[in-house]
Amino acid sequence: MHRPITVLLILIALLLSNSFGQNRMFDSEEIITIKIETPLSELIADRSEEAPDQPVVISYKVGKEKIIIDGEIAVRGNYRRRPDICPFPPLKLKIKKEERAGTIFEAQKKIKLVTHCQGEEYLMREFMIYKFYNLLTPYSYKVRLIKVQYRDRDKGMPGVNAYAFLIESDKALKERLKGKLISEDAQIPSAEVAHDQLSLLNMFQFMIGNLDWGITQRKNMSLLRLESNQEIIPIPYDFDFAACVQAPYTGLEKGFDRRYFRNICRTRVEYETLFKFLRSKRPELEELFMNFELIPKSKRQEALAYVNEFFSIIEDEQKIEDIFLSSCPSR
């Protein structure tokens, strides 16, 4: 149960739910502070798949009112789950319906928390990539940057204060986009995915220099079947291996291929339409990168310069031919 919280605050929250929707966590860009109290040392020490979920108390403030929520917390992920990669692992919160009601977690039954791993700069860069894709399409996971006060309930380790970001839950995503997520066990070939969204996805991954994704093998990818027309929409996540992020554990700084376009057969007209759209988004993209002051200016410029290389590529006729058109006989 929420404690303490006034009845009036609950009523106001419920009345506002129609106007704000059930996705209030992502209706604001405000960086709020959330306290997470759990057996932290035990949670971090045991990262096995069999590790039990740990109890967690989540709290934050609305004005002077403190909201307290009981839930469960677990380590998640694959590569970043490893202690040699992330001293502080990515986490997942699970909150029951009665605990979420009237809070910013209302639609977030299970919600992923992306943590600082090997430093906050790379966390911030990945957050920016999510926001970038949000600019390009509503068919994307929403994210919210927060400050977290991690506290060990058992006092086995000192508290940790760090930035993190939350990723919209699958439940909230489905409700917002009016669709159903396709099981990860289902083998869906790229040819069955919505034509324009697949084009945009491929070009976006090329722009940020990310190879760590896939449709058929469902690598860092959700597939959503829209209720309205049954189209299958690809929705990517986990961008830490993008060259634009430059996370130190990826090896990209050691000479990995930084940019590669996965061939899809599109006509010159289709590519030009997509290029025109992306050019129209360039001012917003540059504003997004350059106004994000939590990353040092030189690092923002570095990340933006990498993305801007893409715009140079699509002004070069020979590169357009070599990269996008040469493998497509029906162009």
Side-chain angles (χ1 to χ4, degrees), residues 172-183:
L173 179 84
K174 291 185 296 183
E175 292 179 355
R176 174 169 63 87
L177 298 178
K178 310 301 182 190
K180 295 182 178 180
L181 288 172
I182 298 174
S183 168

Side-chain angles (χ1 to χ4, degrees), residues 6-198:
T6 63
V7 174
L8 179 61
L9 186 60
I10 294 177
L11 289 174
I12 291 174
L14 292 174
L15 287 171
L16 289 176
S17 64
N18 288 333
S19 60
F20 286 100
Q22 298 300 312
N23 211 9
R24 287 190 291 275
M25 175 64 78
F26 302 99
D27 287 335
S28 173
E29 299 287 340
E30 179 189 0
I31 301 175
I32 59 172
T33 297
I34 293 178
K35 183 177 179 181
I36 290 177
E37 187 173 1
T38 189
L40 192 60
S41 53
E42 184 176 346
L43 182 74
I44 292 176
D46 186 358
R47 305 191 190 192
S48 66
E49 295 285 351
E50 298 76 27
D53 294 351
Q54 297 291 346
V56 66
V57 177
I58 306 160
S59 59
Y60 65 96
K61 286 187 176 181
V62 177
K64 295 183 178 179
E65 191 77 32
K66 186 176 183 180
I67 314 300
I68 301 178
I69 303 169
D70 291 320
E72 294 181 324
I73 191 170
V75 173
R76 64 173 186 86
N78 295 307
Y79 192 70
R80 282 188 273 191
R81 189 187 194 103
R82 291 166 40 183
D84 60 317
I85 299 299
C86 287
F88 200 99
L91 301 169
K92 178 166 62 178
L93 299 171
K94 302 177 184 180
I95 308 171
K96 292 181 179 179
K97 185 175 182 178
E98 59 269 24
E99 291 287 332
R100 304 192 313 267
T103 78
I104 58 175
F105 289 92
E106 182 140 10
Q108 316 302 323
K109 180 180 180 181
K110 296 179 181 179
I111 187 167
K112 294 177 180 179
L113 185 67
V114 181
T115 59
H116 52 288
C117 188
Q118 290 192 21
E120 291 180 329
E121 178 190 330
Y122 311 106
L123 167 91
M124 299 292 186
R125 287 195 185 204
E126 187 177 5
F127 172 77
M128 293 278 287
I129 297 301
Y130 276 95
K131 298 298 287 186
F132 176 22
Y133 202 54
N134 292 161
L135 285 178
L136 301 180
T137 175
Y139 298 117
S140 53
Y141 282 100
K142 292 187 175 185
V143 288
R144 184 167 180 180
L145 191 65
I146 60 174
K147 293 179 180 178
V148 186
Q149 298 173 341
Y150 302 97
R151 297 295 181 265
D152 189 358
R153 186 196 66 183
D154 301 329
K155 311 299 182 184
M157 63 178 289
V160 176
N161 297 331
Y163 281 102
F165 66 85
L166 294 163
I167 303 177
E168 181 180 27
S169 70
D170 286 344
K171 177 179 183 293
L173 179 84
K174 291 185 296 183
E175 292 179 355
R176 174 169 63 87
L177 298 178
K178 310 301 182 190
K180 295 182 178 180
L181 288 172
I182 298 174
S183 168
E184 291 188 359
D185 295 330
Q187 295 294 310
I188 305 295
S190 296
E192 294 185 17
V193 173
H195 187 91
D196 290 345
Q197 284 296 315
L198 180 60

Side-chain angles (χ1 to χ4, degrees), residues 249-267:
Y249 52 78
T250 62
L252 285 167
E253 74 281 7
K254 299 176 183 177
F256 279 25
D257 189 350
R258 290 170 57 85
R259 203 190 296 273
Y260 176 77
F261 187 72
R262 297 188 182 179
N263 293 327
I264 53 174
C265 196
R266 300 291 186 264
T267 66

